[in-house]
Amino acid sequence: MRRKLVVGNWKMHRTREANARLIEGILKGRPFAGDVVVCAPFPFLGDLAAMLKGQDVALGAQDCSAHEQGAHTGEVSASMLAAFGCRYVIVGHSERRADHHESDKIVADKAKAALAEGVTPIVCVGETLAQREAGQTEAVVTRQLSTVTHTLAQHISKIVIAHEPVWAIGTGKTATPEQAQAVHALLRARLAAVTPHASELRLLYGGSVKADNARSLFSQPDIDGGLIGGASLKASEFVAICKAGA
Ligand code: 13P
């Protein structure tokens, strides 16, 4: 039985002052039935690690370097994240793939670097609207996933995968539960071909998840929770989504 997982991706939002109120609101909303993670911008990690110490809401980051250490100005290594108490890191978000031209290989190497430090990578895959309309969804997510499965080999069972259709991110257009389930079932079938642990891996859906659509998405057989953008910035909304994972 897979535990549900709800991850808030704060992206480049929030202020240092507002974080305390948001975290307070989230903690007040407990108990949650599944696991809950907040992924914050790098400069906030120290404050948040202190606020979440001993709490059952885990801390995550939104990216890490594919390199272990070295002359890579502006990059943050997985070991630095681990030192600040991060248990998760998002890699390969479509915004990073687009803004920073991250290739499938770089994303896979980042996942590998995270795992080496005991940080669980949440690897994002997803198709654009043009790709979906051209009937390429399966091919695109299969290509994105296969680079990761190839790079991580037997360690693939230690990651979390998030399917985020690019056309659903921040647009208010959510994939229907059936559309999302179809892609998740495909991802799980692809995973089953390379690991005996495919049924244990958690597959998250992301893209305009809100309190009022979370339950119908999370009740699909291969959707194990969500990666939440905008709705993770409001405590009551995020708490409702975390409870929808029950
Ligand atoms: P929204 O929930 O704002 O659509 O963002 C989804 C996302 O990109 C989470 O990583």
Side-chain angles (χ1 to χ4, degrees), residues 9 11 93 95 164 168-171 206-210 227-231:
N9 175 8
K11 306 194 179 185
H93 193 283
E95 288 153 12
E164 297 205 310
I169 295 175
T171 58
S208 297
V209 178
K210 305 275 183 281
L227 182 53
I228 321 299

Side-chain angles (χ1 to χ4, degrees), residues 150-165:
H150 183 76
T151 302
L152 299 186
Q154 79 273 21
H155 300 298
I156 190 72
S157 60
K158 298 181 193 145
I159 75 170
V160 172
I161 293 165
H163 167 232
E164 297 205 310

